[in-house]
Amino acid sequence: MKRRTRSVALGAATALLFSVSATAASQDGYPGKPIRMLVGFSAGSATDATARLIAQKLSEGLGQPVIVDNRAGAAGAIATEMVVRAPADGYTLLMLGATEAILPALRTLPYDIRRDLSPISIVANGPQVLVVNLTVPARNVKELIALARQQPGRLHYGSAGVSSSSHLAGSLFNQLANVAIVPVPYKGATEMAVGTAANEVDMSFPSAAAALPMVAGGKVRALAVTSATRVSAMPSVPTLQESGLKGFDRSNWYGVLAPAGTPQPIVKRIHGLIEQAVNTEEMKVALNRRGLEPETTTPQAFAARIRRDITQNARLIKSTGAKGE
């Protein structure tokens, strides 16, 4: 009986050893074929453009093609679900945008990005800019808040739709500034920007990429940026935190993730290549041209950012009664 027990134990140990050896060999040979990076939005979108910049650098570092695969639809959820269901072997990656951290508060999803994905690193940060039309007398955030308090419910801010990132930026502004600026939903970000410049609404929170030409062309006035740090292309524009709204930190980040359970050596290798690529002058210039700031994080910090944004978005949506369109 003892011999049999020893034999079984030895067999189990041998099988485990072979399994570990096979996994190690597989990781040592990674990558042995092309890698797919899924994007939940169409070609030409900010998510797509960021994915293509990173995919090219990863391809150079890994010695295999990194193919961008656009699977647009359901606000990015289609591509995300495909990655969640893919083998956790490093051959399927996802370029995720911050807007997907809004979805859990709007509808039931067949996955949980906090549980079912392995964050690798943020690669770019896309701040929004608080702009006002030229008829608004406020020259800074302090004056805008004073104006809003003097005329409760008289000022309006444009959004790119109910529960969009621009809508939630306005909601957070209202909460932290203790004002009641009324949201006005537009069909999209372009219509929102045009409406602000045309004095249809007093203010809005477009992306830095959209705000830059409007500010340069003298169509709107920039008062602050929504991120924790200033924007390279608009160094004289303060952050909302600097302007007195402590804790205001929202931006449209973009980051790379893999299916949960992807081996750590693979995650570390991809993370190292992303960090190396993003911190080059070439990448900084390319991202700045698109109104984005280069940024890298540890996988743990990226996971924490996702959790924080999901919690903040859910709280804002609940407080405003906003629902998805």
Side-chain angles (χ1 to χ4, degrees), residues 32 76 156 193 198 262 269:
H156 295 75
T262 298
R269 186 173 178 191

Side-chain angles (χ1 to χ4, degrees), residues 133-135 186 191-201 214 219-220:
N133 71 52
L134 301 183
T135 68
Y186 283 83
E191 291 82 358
M192 174 191 74
V194 171
T196 308
N199 304 336
E200 294 174 358
V201 290
M214 292 200 303
K219 295 180 179 179
V220 296

Side-chain angles (χ1 to χ4, degrees), residues 39-184:
V39 175
F41 299 88
S42 58
S45 64
T47 312
D48 172 77
T50 307
R52 291 181 188 279
L53 286 172
I54 291 299
Q56 179 184 344
K57 293 301 180 182
L58 286 179
S59 180
E60 293 170 4
L62 293 170
Q64 286 284 354
V66 178
I67 302 162
V68 174
D69 186 354
N70 298 89
R71 298 299 179 103
I78 292 174
T80 300
E81 185 175 2
M82 290 177 68
V83 175
V84 164
R85 297 183 182 282
D89 56 7
Y91 289 99
T92 306
L93 302 174
L94 174 70
M95 178 62 74
L96 187 78
T99 54
E100 284 208 60
I102 297 174
L103 294 182
L106 298 176
R107 61 177 184 264
T108 301
L109 298 168
Y111 57 82
D112 185 334
I113 58 177
R114 294 163 293 190
R115 179 195 65 214
D116 299 327
L117 291 169
S118 179
I120 298 177
S121 179
I122 287 177
V123 299
N125 197 16
Q128 292 163 272
V129 183
L130 166 54
V131 300
V132 296
N133 71 52
L134 301 183
T135 68
V136 176
R139 297 283 168 174
N140 54 52
V141 173
K142 185 177 179 180
E143 291 179 2
L144 178 64
I145 292 172
L147 185 65
R149 288 176 180 170
Q150 290 166 8
Q151 304 175 1
R154 295 287 300 276
L155 296 184
H156 295 75
Y157 75 89
S159 80
V162 175
S163 299
S164 65
S165 58
S166 51
H167 180 196
L168 298 184
S171 297
L172 185 59
F173 184 90
N174 275 341
Q175 287 188 11
L176 296 182
N178 193 27
V179 294
I181 302 174
V182 181
V184 177

Side-chain angles (χ1 to χ4, degrees), residues 2-42:
K2 287 183 180 179
R3 273 186 204 167
R4 185 177 175 186
T5 302
R6 270 194 219 119
S7 176
V8 170
L10 181 61
T14 303
L16 178 61
L17 179 62
F18 275 118
S19 175
V20 171
S21 299
T23 301
S26 173
Q27 291 171 17
D28 288 344
Y30 175 85
K33 61 180 180 180
I35 297 160
R36 193 169 54 142
M37 179 179 288
L38 275 83
V39 175
F41 299 88
S42 58

Side-chain angles (χ1 to χ4, degrees), residues 258-302:
T262 298
Q264 281 306 299
I266 292 176
V267 170
K268 287 180 181 178
R269 186 173 178 191
I270 295 173
H271 178 272
L273 290 172
I274 289 173
E275 196 168 48
Q276 181 181 333
V278 171
N279 291 315
T280 63
E281 187 62 25
E282 176 191 358
M283 186 65 73
K284 180 181 178 181
V285 170
L287 290 171
N288 286 169
R289 195 179 296 132
R290 293 167 172 80
L292 301 173
E293 298 292 309
E295 179 182 350
T296 56
T297 59
T298 64
Q300 295 78 16
F302 188 10

